[in-house]
Amino acid sequence: MHLFGKKKTQPVATPIVATTSIPENHVSKKKKNTYTITFSTFFDATLFSMCKNTPLGVVSLNGQQIQNNSGWISCTEFPNPCATRMATIQHLLAEALGTKISTQIIEYLDKATGKPVVQLYPDSVHIFDGYEENYMSHLNHATRRDLEKQIALRERLINEFIAKQKQNQK
């Protein structure tokens, strides 16, 4: 049928192709460091619970392997109580969040100075001294969005795990 004496045409739909990878030339504006931690069965984190920091074995920093194959693990000190808690309940965190998230510490950096502002642990957050009142204002937009996204992801996974545990108890 023709409307107003003209032939009606249908627009041709162009397929939408989803990209699952980041382009090679992409430069992230997020200011953060991502530490991947390894846990030894011989390490008792509770020994450090009353200390200011707990040494944890860092396997990689921002995706780059930093440990050698000498058999010894270099450690980095992370603030308590978050670091001790992470090491102490690692088996539960791995079950609730998966291995990748349960072994990561994400450190968000000040947009002006590059100093650590906040560290995100699998189930907690540590805000560094001097940033307690307004830590979000020290992060750039991309970094703030990433922090909010990561917190929401962890909350969702933990809530799903708790709901699953309650269902199993019934």
Side-chain angles (χ1 to χ4, degrees):
M1 172 176 226
H2 298 290
L3 298 174
F4 303 107
K6 295 185 181 179
K7 186 176 179 183
K8 183 178 178 184
T9 59
Q10 295 291 330
V12 178
T14 53
I16 298 173
V17 179
T19 58
T20 56
S21 62
I22 298 172
E24 289 181 31
N25 59 356
H26 174 73
V27 177
S28 175
K29 297 198 188 307
K30 291 177 239 158
K31 295 184 179 280
K32 68 178 188 175
N33 292 317
T34 303
Y35 299 91
T36 303
I37 308 298
T38 185
F39 296 97
S40 169
T41 55
F42 302 107
F43 177 71
D44 183 5
T46 59
L47 297 174
F48 294 94
S49 63
M50 299 303 287
C51 298
K52 184 176 180 178
N53 300 308
T54 294
L56 298 175
V58 177
V59 176
S60 69
L61 174 59
N62 299 329
Q64 300 295 317
Q65 184 176 354
I66 61 170
Q67 294 292 336
N68 59 26
N69 293 326
S70 67
W72 295 95
I73 295 176
S74 299
C75 293
T76 301
E77 291 187 1
F78 292 94
N80 281 329
C82 298
T84 300
R85 179 175 167 81
M86 178 183 180
T88 305
I89 62 170
Q90 177 55 34
H91 63 286
L92 287 173
L93 293 172
E95 190 177 345
L97 302 172
T99 305
K100 182 179 177 183
I101 294 174
S102 70
T103 59
Q104 282 185 344
I105 298 171
I106 304 174
E107 179 178 72
Y108 294 94
L109 308 174
D110 189 300
K111 63 185 173 188
T113 65
K115 292 181 181 179
V117 174
V118 61
Q119 282 181 339
L120 178 61
Y121 290 80
D123 70 331
S124 57
V125 172
H126 174 80
I127 301 170
F128 285 89
D129 292 340
Y131 295 103
E132 299 90 344
E133 297 297 319
N134 58 354
Y135 71 94
M136 288 296 255
S137 67
H138 291 275
L139 305 177
N140 68 21
H141 179 70
T143 307
R144 277 193 308 271
R145 285 186 57 195
D146 187 71
L147 175 60
E148 291 167 352
K149 177 184 163 192
Q150 292 296 329
I151 289 172
L153 172 65
R154 284 157 175 73
E155 285 177 345
R156 181 179 57 80
L157 291 172
I158 289 171
N159 289 335
E160 288 173 3
F161 178 74
I162 291 169
K164 187 188 291 184
Q165 294 301 314
K166 286 181 180 180
Q167 284 288 57
N168 291 342
Q169 289 177 351
K170 290 183 180 181

